Amino acid sequence: MKFLASNENNLKRLREILKVLSKYEFGYLIEKIKLKHNIPFIGKSYQYDSLEELDESTPERLRLVLQELGPTFIKLGQTLSTRPDLVGRRIATEFTKLQDDNPPVSFDSIKQVIEHELKSPINEIFETFDVEPLGSASIGQVHRAMLKTGEEVAVKVRKPGVENVIKNDLAIMEFLAKRVDSYVPQLKIYNVPGIVDEFKRSIFKEIDYENEALNLKRFRNNFKDDATVHVPAVYSKYSSLKVITMELVVGTKISEVTEADGFDLKLIAERGAISYFKQVVENGFFHADPHPSNIYILKRNVVCYIDFGMMGIIDEQFKTELAELMIYLINNDVSGMISQLTYMGMIDENVDTRSLRYDLTDMMFKYYGTELNEVHGGMNELINIMRKYHIFMPRELVLLARGIGMVEETGQKLDPTFNAVQVGKPVIKKVVKKKFSPLTFADYLKKNVIEMEHILKNIPLSLTKTLYKLEEGEISIKIEHEGLEKITNKISVALILSALLIGSSMIMTTDNGVYLIKFPFLGFLGFGVSAVLAVILVISIIKDRGLSK
């Protein structure tokens, strides 16, 4: 606790965290990580005597702990809600209930941040600026405004002091994670320090509004020719690390659209799914948190995504491999799925593929053996199976599975007959088909032309050198065999032993030389040496066999 003792605020915050843990019956955990005696106010206010006794209420109590501890811990829970592969489906589902609604900070504080970041008085940048925010979360809040040039915009501002709060809370999280990993063997499988480390990278990206602006621009460029999807414009001149100014979206949340308001719910569900599959298998850059609050519907049933702090990125090779995996999934091909997962490096020799095949077959029968519109939940089930067999899953794959699950759920609320697999199938097949087209091969040659040129240029020189060495007799073949030297030595000893036995037997039949007990002395000596060598050889063979086992 040295780093905590040097910082009174951190120590005070740690005590607050332990109080909340005790309040929600996690006192046993405090004892296990050996902090009870360092924090004397913790008493026996808990009812559990071991982690094995934790019951069905555990996920809910964990959520309440995070909710009460505030912004950084709420963000941790929201991040873990996207990682059922790490914490399990029940906890991940419970963490989706975490609310990020926070009281707004004063307008004066927001004004100071804007003027400091944009290097100008607020009234010189904006014609109007609403004092009351449109929304307030733990990291930032959004205000409606109008630029001097007349465009209506949404201005997202990072709250003052947030970065320091996050850094301090992360230091405490890292401290607690190491103690949990050291003192609670039952929780080692969750790799708690690894979870905190991943969260640390994620949250620092989220509070970097310059990174979000870049994400937004790239996403907008990917859909510039798609009239069914709208992406807000970013005003870079009025954006910075702590401020992002973007086009104001005037629409309806996808969860609130109705036919009475003139919306085509079936068309919206289809467009949302198609746009998501395009993000994944065509662009390799997808919205990692497409829940209903982040999708608006504009006039003419146009889909509009907002909030680009959390994005998933996959490269060209993984895109194609993922599309092929989806084709096997769509075609109900379990053998193909296992082969593809092996090819992608997710399954190794330690995985029981026989049992995995049975579970995947059961899953396929459950979700794909009935009507097409009953496929809902298949992605969640697939993640559960992969987690059960400790199959390595890249973070992007888990984010993607969660995203598809959200799109699927939203689509079915809009249209009960909606089937995400059926809608996405043409997009996925298009990507797989593209892999085998002559244009793709030509593109591959173009990208690798320099490397190929180097190889072709070196072939004649390498061939000439090899032929010259062969002609001069300079090429030698070296063969190595593990343990060959030991085998050779044993063979040599066996030959010597055989020679001694034969020689000693012949001497025993002669009448010459010195005698010992009516037999030639040299014969006795030969048999004695043979016996010693035989014992050594037998012991050596037995020893080697023992080591090989």
Side-chain angles (χ1 to χ4, degrees):
M1 293 186 52
K2 290 181 180 178
F3 88 100
L4 291 169
S6 63
N7 188 323
E8 184 60 33
N9 289 333
N10 278 358
L11 188 57
K12 184 179 177 182
R13 177 63 167 156
L14 176 64
R15 286 173 176 162
E16 181 185 345
I17 291 168
L18 295 178
K19 276 184 179 179
V20 174
L21 282 170
S22 180
K23 174 182 175 181
Y24 290 103
E25 306 296 346
F26 291 104
Y28 176 76
L29 183 61
I30 298 171
E31 279 195 357
K32 285 292 288 184
I33 61 177
K34 302 188 184 303
L35 289 179
K36 179 179 181 293
H37 299 297
N38 292 313
I39 314 295
F41 55 78
I42 297 294
K44 281 190 171 295
S45 62
Y46 50 90
Q47 66 185 58
Y48 302 102
D49 293 325
S50 72
L51 291 176
E52 286 76 8
E53 291 184 28
L54 299 184
D55 57 17
E56 293 295 317
S57 69
T58 301
E60 181 184 5
R61 288 186 289 112
L62 281 172
R63 174 179 61 80
L64 293 172
V65 167
L66 299 179
Q67 189 78 57
E68 190 163 328
L69 289 177
T72 313
F73 288 85
I74 290 173
K75 283 294 178 187
L76 172 63
Q78 290 173 337
T79 300
L80 292 178
S81 74
T82 70
R83 299 304 306 268
D85 59 312
L86 297 180
V87 297
R89 173 58 51 189
R90 285 177 54 233
I91 290 177
T93 301
E94 184 66 32
F95 284 177
T96 61
K97 301 175 185 177
L98 283 165
Q99 299 299 312
D100 199 17
D101 295 327
N102 278 263
V105 299
S106 68
F107 174 69
D108 286 340
S109 299
I110 293 297
K111 181 182 176 183
Q112 286 179 15
V113 173
I114 292 172
E115 293 184 339
H116 179 268
E117 288 293 307
L118 303 185
K119 314 295 187 213
S120 296
I122 196 169
N123 56 6
E124 290 184 9
I125 303 170
F126 302 101
E127 184 66 32
T128 62
F129 195 99
D130 288 1
V131 174
E132 294 298 321
L134 292 172
S136 176
S138 55
I139 292 174
Q141 60 191 55
V142 181
H143 290 258
R144 183 172 186 159
M146 180 184 289
L147 294 171
K148 288 288 185 180
T149 49
E151 295 95 336
E152 284 198 297
V153 294
V155 185
K156 189 174 178 180
V157 186
R158 196 166 85 190
K159 292 179 176 179
V162 162
E163 188 174 0
N164 288 333
V165 171
I166 289 172
K167 283 181 178 178
N168 291 338
D169 277 351
L170 282 172
I172 296 171
M173 281 184 190
E174 288 174 324
F175 167 75
L176 291 174
K178 288 177 182 176
R179 295 188 78 86
V180 166
D181 199 57
S182 299
Y183 296 120
V184 191
Q186 302 98 312
L187 299 181
K188 261 192 174 295
I189 59 169
Y190 292 105
N191 185 18
V192 180
I195 290 174
V196 173
D197 188 55
E198 182 177 319
F199 170 64
K200 184 177 180 179
R201 291 195 300 271
S202 171
I203 196 168
F204 279 128
K205 280 185 180 179
E206 193 168 343
I207 66 175
D208 180 355
Y209 288 172
E210 287 179 341
N211 179 66
E212 183 173 349
L214 289 173
N215 289 341
L216 212 162
K217 288 176 183 176
R218 178 176 175 181
F219 197 88
R220 179 178 171 86
N221 184 63
N222 288 342
F223 285 94
K224 63 183 179 182
D225 299 322
D226 190 337
T228 67
V229 177
H230 180 77
V231 183
V234 178
Y235 295 88
S236 300
K237 185 179 178 181
Y238 309 113
S239 300
S240 70
L241 183 67
K242 299 179 181 179
V243 177
I244 179 170
T245 302
M246 68 194 88
E247 173 191 348
L248 180 70
V249 173
V250 180
T252 307
K253 284 183 182 179
I254 194 169
S255 56
E256 298 174 0
V257 294
T258 62
E259 290 182 345
D261 294 326
F263 291 108
D264 186 333
L265 305 189
K266 188 170 185 176
L267 180 61
I268 291 170
E270 184 178 318
R271 284 181 172 180
I274 290 174
S275 71
Y276 202 74
F277 280 111
K278 280 184 177 179
Q279 292 172 46
V280 175
V281 296
E282 285 190 10
N283 303 327
F285 184 67
F286 60 93
H287 200 298
D289 195 22
H291 63 72
S293 296
N294 285 337
I295 303 176
Y296 279 73
I297 305 302
L298 312 184
K299 293 178 180 179
R300 294 183 292 278
N301 302 299
V302 172
V303 177
C304 178
Y305 292 87
I306 64 168
D307 194 351
F308 296 86
M310 188 187 295
M311 303 297 292
I313 303 174
I314 51 181
D315 60 26
E316 287 294 325
Q317 181 179 345
F318 193 76
K319 268 196 313 185
T320 306
E321 291 172 351
L322 188 61
E324 291 167 351
L325 178 63
M326 287 182 174
I327 289 294
Y328 287 125
L329 184 65
I330 290 169
N331 292 336
N332 197 10
D333 185 346
V334 173
S335 296
M337 284 179 66
I338 292 175
S339 297
Q340 186 67 13
L341 289 169
T342 304
Y343 174 72
M344 294 169 74
M346 297 186 204
I347 293 180
D348 58 25
E349 65 276 3
N350 297 319
V351 175
D352 182 358
T353 52
R354 188 181 184 88
S355 297
L356 174 61
R357 187 184 303 275
Y358 289 142
D359 281 350
L360 287 175
T361 301
D362 287 344
M363 185 200 81
M364 291 294 189
F365 180 79
K366 178 180 178 182
Y367 291 103
Y368 295 87
T370 55
E371 295 297 324
L372 282 173
N373 63 350
E374 293 181 24
V375 72
H376 175 59
M379 291 304 296
N380 290 342
E381 186 73 14
L382 179 60
I383 291 294
N384 285 339
I385 290 173
M386 293 176 77
R387 184 173 182 268
K388 173 183 174 181
Y389 288 93
H390 305 290
I391 295 173
F392 167 74
M393 287 178 283
R395 173 181 178 271
E396 307 306 317
L397 180 62
V398 181
L399 289 177
L400 170 61
R402 176 178 181 265
I404 292 176
M406 284 185 174
V407 169
E408 189 179 59
E409 184 177 348
T410 303
Q412 289 198 330
K413 285 180 179 177
L414 294 169
D415 173 20
T417 66
F418 172 76
N419 174 243
V421 172
Q422 193 176 37
V423 172
K425 195 172 182 177
V427 180
I428 297 166
K429 284 191 171 182
K430 181 181 174 183
V431 173
V432 175
K433 186 177 179 181
K434 182 182 175 183
K435 177 182 177 181
F436 300 102
S437 73
L439 290 176
T440 301
F441 181 69
D443 186 53
Y444 174 81
L445 293 178
K446 181 181 176 182
K447 289 179 180 178
N448 295 275
V449 65
I450 295 176
E451 186 177 349
M452 292 176 68
E453 187 265 341
H454 289 168
I455 293 171
L456 292 172
K457 189 165 65 175
N458 288 331
I459 284 176
L461 181 61
S462 300
L463 188 59
T464 301
K465 286 181 178 179
T466 303
L467 291 173
Y468 178 77
K469 287 184 177 181
L470 187 62
E471 186 178 328
E472 295 296 317
E474 294 179 9
I475 292 181
S476 61
I477 300 174
K478 183 178 181 182
I479 299 176
E480 292 186 3
H481 188 291
E482 187 178 350
L484 186 60
E485 186 178 348
K486 288 183 179 180
I487 294 171
T488 305
N489 291 338
K490 289 174 185 176
I491 292 173
S492 300
V493 171
L495 289 172
I496 294 170
L497 177 61
S498 300
L500 279 171
L501 286 171
I502 293 170
S504 300
S505 299
M506 291 177 66
I507 290 172
M508 283 292 190
T509 62
T510 65
D511 297 324
N512 299 322
V514 181
Y515 280 76
L516 182 66
I517 317 177
K518 298 183 180 181
F519 291 100
F521 174 77
L522 287 177
F524 266 111
L525 182 62
F527 278 123
V529 173
S530 298
V532 172
L533 287 176
V535 170
I536 292 172
L537 185 61
V538 169
I539 290 172
S540 176
I541 292 170
I542 293 172
K543 185 178 178 182
D544 285 349
R545 285 186 177 179
L547 290 174
S548 66
K549 291 180 181 179

